[in-house]
Amino acid sequence: MNDARNNFDIDSLRVASEHGDCDASVRLGQLLLQRGGFGSSEFDEAITRLEQAAGMDHTEAQLLLANVLAQVHALPDADARAAHWYDAVAQKNHPEALARLGDMYLTGRGVAADDAQALARIERAARQCYPQLQCDLAYMLDHGIGCNADPVAATSWFLRALAQGSHQAAFALGLRYYCGRGVGRDAAVAQAMFECAAGGDFPDACVWRDRLDEITSSNEKCDAGLLAQRIRDQVRSLPHQFAAAGISELDSGESATQKMTAVIERHWSALDDRRISLDPGHRSARAKATGWPVIAAPGLPQLEIWQPRVFRIPHFLSEYERAHVIALSAPRMAAAADFSRDAAEFEKDFFTGTAARLGAHMCDPVIRNIERRIAVAAMLPARHIEPLSVLRYQDDDVYEAHVDYLTPDRLEGAHGGQRLVTFICYLRAPREGGETEYLNAEHAVAGEPGLALLHYNCLPDGQPDEMSLHASRPVIAGEKWLLRTAIHSQSLYEPIAAARDAT
């Protein structure tokens, strides 16, 4: 019955689309994309219908078309076409399009790589009062992506996101007030921030809140509790302030943004606490240059074992980055058996836990910066890196013995060529069990938060290394969260025909 109804809908939408109905073209495109992926007749028709509406300056069609093209790297000129349509929507000051175009500037896909251009696009989006984009901007400012590093400005943007209720920003600020990054050190404010983040179940916020509870004085604990409650009350009452100012969720445009910004600033200033002022001139000037745990501090790769070639890199991810990746992936976790069109679909036969793949539409400046760091460690281009994925192991979950290189039957026609290197990083380490074991070498590596492992799947001559057989031992206590990817011999962002011509 549903199939018949869908067929009727598609036929009706085709007629409307052919008569120039842009809304019908968008809905038809959505239905066709649900029916078939890249290479199918449904996909080809969906692209045609969306291009028809996009050419008539239909914003929703332009954005959907760009989102689809940005995820189909095998399609000739897909990246350039995606960038074109993102730019068309970004010129209307659309925040999502600005952010996605910024991502393309970060990766050099469809446009020339340019961190300054990426920063400019993301700042334009952040200024429209979107907390997540404000956190993205703060991260870029903190790490000097597209600019000179400016920890003080980064703190201000995190505070703006917090003023709108961002638990991610609260966690970031907890770390910053704890170590004095872009603001004076203040244990009470740090604990208050972690309390706010914990209220939204942000990863690891409870751990840090409890850690500070053990080292703060009774006066600091009291100060932290009161401040956290005042912040929560202020955030809860913000919608009433918007309503009183005549601002609704549907309002957009420069005038609406200016009104929202003014309301947020005025409402936050009513807290009358210089320590968390949006104006950096009012905050403590006792800021330090320290980075950890806000900024990652990876050293050079250290040899773990020689056969197979395995290297370890401590402190590869910062506390903020690890928590961010967990928060990004947790809502999307699924059993390996449910994966489809995944680069490692075969792993459903080996892995008993859950996982999430961080596709192009989920990537932000944090993910892109991590990819760059991986590329440096592996000494291979970032464009050779598979989309990152996150694995979660709970009690008794295992990843049975397997190799990550592509066998000849899987290598033939594989986009990106051979998987030369595997990268994993512990986002969380279990209290017991869960070691990564290299079976032929009879060697196991116990995890610790932030520890990265690089192992080579191939020998220096490019042939598969059978010594790279590895597994994960069962988790006995706690949970194990891994960030995982593989680095290929060729770019994963080239059309299939071009990639084959290069071999």
Side-chain angles (χ1 to χ4, degrees):
M1 184 69 178
N2 287 337
D3 288 342
R5 175 61 184 273
N6 286 340
N7 288 333
F8 174 78
D9 288 344
I10 287 177
D11 290 340
S12 300
L13 290 168
R14 277 198 181 106
V15 172
S17 175
E18 289 165 1
H19 283 81
D21 186 332
C22 292
D23 291 336
S25 295
V26 170
R27 180 57 184 150
L28 177 58
Q30 292 170 329
L31 289 174
L32 291 168
L33 289 170
Q34 291 171 7
R35 288 192 163 197
F38 173 67
S40 68
S41 59
E42 291 88 352
F43 179 90
D44 292 341
E45 183 182 356
I47 295 298
T48 299
R49 300 291 180 176
L50 291 173
E51 286 179 333
Q52 173 187 323
M56 298 171 70
D57 202 31
H58 191 278
T59 300
E60 186 180 358
Q62 292 171 335
L63 189 56
L64 177 57
L65 178 60
N67 286 336
V68 173
L69 292 171
Q71 298 181 68
V72 187
H73 311 306
L75 188 66
D77 298 323
D79 286 344
R81 289 159 66 188
H84 167 79
W85 291 116
Y86 278 138
D87 186 57
V89 186
Q91 289 181 27
K92 305 171 189 178
N93 221 29
H94 192 289
E96 181 183 348
L98 285 164
R100 299 322 311 158
L101 185 59
D103 181 69
M104 301 200 84
Y105 275 111
L106 286 174
T107 58
R109 291 176 46 222
V111 292
D114 190 326
D115 286 356
Q117 291 289 345
L119 180 70
R121 300 310 190 281
I122 290 170
E123 182 173 355
R124 277 175 59 192
R127 288 191 179 279
Q128 296 181 51
C129 303
Y130 285 89
Q132 180 58 59
L133 297 175
Q134 291 172 338
C135 289
D136 291 345
L137 175 60
Y139 180 87
M140 295 180 74
L141 291 169
D142 210 24
H143 288 75
I145 302 173
C147 61
N148 294 324
D150 191 342
V152 174
T155 300
S156 294
W157 280 106
F158 277 126
L159 281 165
R160 287 183 178 276
L162 172 66
Q164 297 168 81
S166 170
H167 299 110
Q168 177 180 340
F171 183 79
L173 289 163
L175 296 173
R176 302 179 79 77
Y177 280 94
Y178 170 75
C179 72
R181 176 76 177 176
V183 72
R185 293 191 66 175
D186 192 310
V189 177
Q191 192 168 11
M193 296 299 175
F194 288 130
E195 178 65 33
C196 291
D201 294 325
F202 196 80
D204 297 340
C206 290
V207 174
W208 275 92
R209 178 197 60 194
D210 296 344
R211 185 181 300 174
L212 263 66
D213 194 55
E214 295 176 358
I215 62 174
T216 50
S217 67
S218 57
N219 286 339
E220 287 173 326
K221 289 182 178 66
C222 181
D223 184 11
L226 291 172
L227 180 58
Q229 187 57 54
R230 293 176 65 213
I231 290 172
R232 286 193 292 261
D233 290 343
Q234 208 73 355
V235 169
R236 286 194 202 101
S237 59
L238 182 60
H240 300 293
Q241 298 296 316
F242 285 149
I247 301 171
S248 77
E249 294 181 357
L250 299 178
D251 290 342
S252 61
E254 185 175 350
S255 177
T257 296
Q258 290 175 350
K259 287 182 180 179
M260 289 180 67
T261 300
V263 169
I264 292 166
E265 292 176 349
R266 183 173 62 251
H267 189 54
W268 189 254
S269 67
L271 284 169
D272 194 24
D273 192 321
R274 295 173 63 89
R275 297 173 298 177
I276 57 173
S277 171
L278 298 179
D279 184 347
H282 292 168
R283 297 195 299 267
S284 169
R286 294 179 290 108
K288 294 176 131 185
T290 184
W292 185 260
V294 180
I295 304 294
L300 294 173
Q302 305 165 7
L303 181 65
E304 180 73 19
I305 51 174
W306 186 244
Q307 288 186 312
R309 290 176 294 162
V310 181
F311 296 85
R312 64 186 291 135
I313 312 174
H315 307 303
F316 191 85
L317 299 179
S318 70
E319 295 277 352
Y320 175 74
E321 289 167 340
R322 290 193 290 106
H324 174 75
V325 173
I326 292 174
L328 194 63
S329 59
R332 298 167 174 85
M333 284 289 168
D338 296 333
F339 285 177
S340 63
R341 293 189 292 176
D342 188 272
E345 187 175 359
F346 70 98
E347 74 184 4
K348 64 187 178 185
D349 298 325
F350 300 96
F351 180 46
T352 63
T354 56
R357 188 182 185 202
L358 306 182
H361 63 291
M362 295 173 60
C363 290
D364 56 24
V366 178
I367 299 301
R368 296 309 186 192
N369 202 33
I370 292 172
E371 288 177 342
R372 292 179 179 185
R373 207 175 298 154
I374 294 170
V376 170
M379 293 185 291
L380 287 166
R383 294 173 71 87
H384 292 211
I385 296 175
E386 285 179 10
L388 306 185
S389 56
V390 177
L391 308 183
R392 180 188 186 188
Y393 301 72
Q394 295 175 286
D395 288 351
D396 298 324
D397 278 335
V398 298
Y399 206 133
E400 296 178 356
H402 65 287
V403 293
D404 290 338
Y405 58 76
L406 301 179
T407 54
D409 59 311
R410 294 173 55 222
L411 181 58
E412 184 177 358
H415 197 204
Q418 185 59 276
R419 303 172 93 205
L420 298 178
V421 183
T422 291
F423 168 90
I424 61 173
C425 184
Y426 282 82
L427 303 174
R428 282 181 182 162
R431 294 190 300 277
E432 184 178 358
E435 298 88 351
T436 300
E437 182 177 14
Y438 296 91
L439 290 90
N440 291 334
E442 298 182 352
H443 183 86
V445 182
E448 57 188 57
L451 172 67
L453 295 177
L454 277 173
H455 74 243
Y456 285 77
N457 302 313
C458 296
L459 299 167
D461 63 3
Q463 294 301 308
D465 185 0
E466 295 181 358
M467 287 291 290
S468 65
L469 181 75
H470 60 287
S472 174
R473 291 177 178 174
V475 170
I476 298 172
E479 291 189 349
K480 172 181 173 180
W481 289 68
L482 285 183
L483 181 66
R484 184 273 310 270
T485 190
I487 304 96
H488 287 243
S489 59
Q490 301 167 15
S491 171
L492 288 157
Y493 297 100
E494 302 297 337
I496 288 177
R500 288 176 179 166
D501 291 343
T503 60

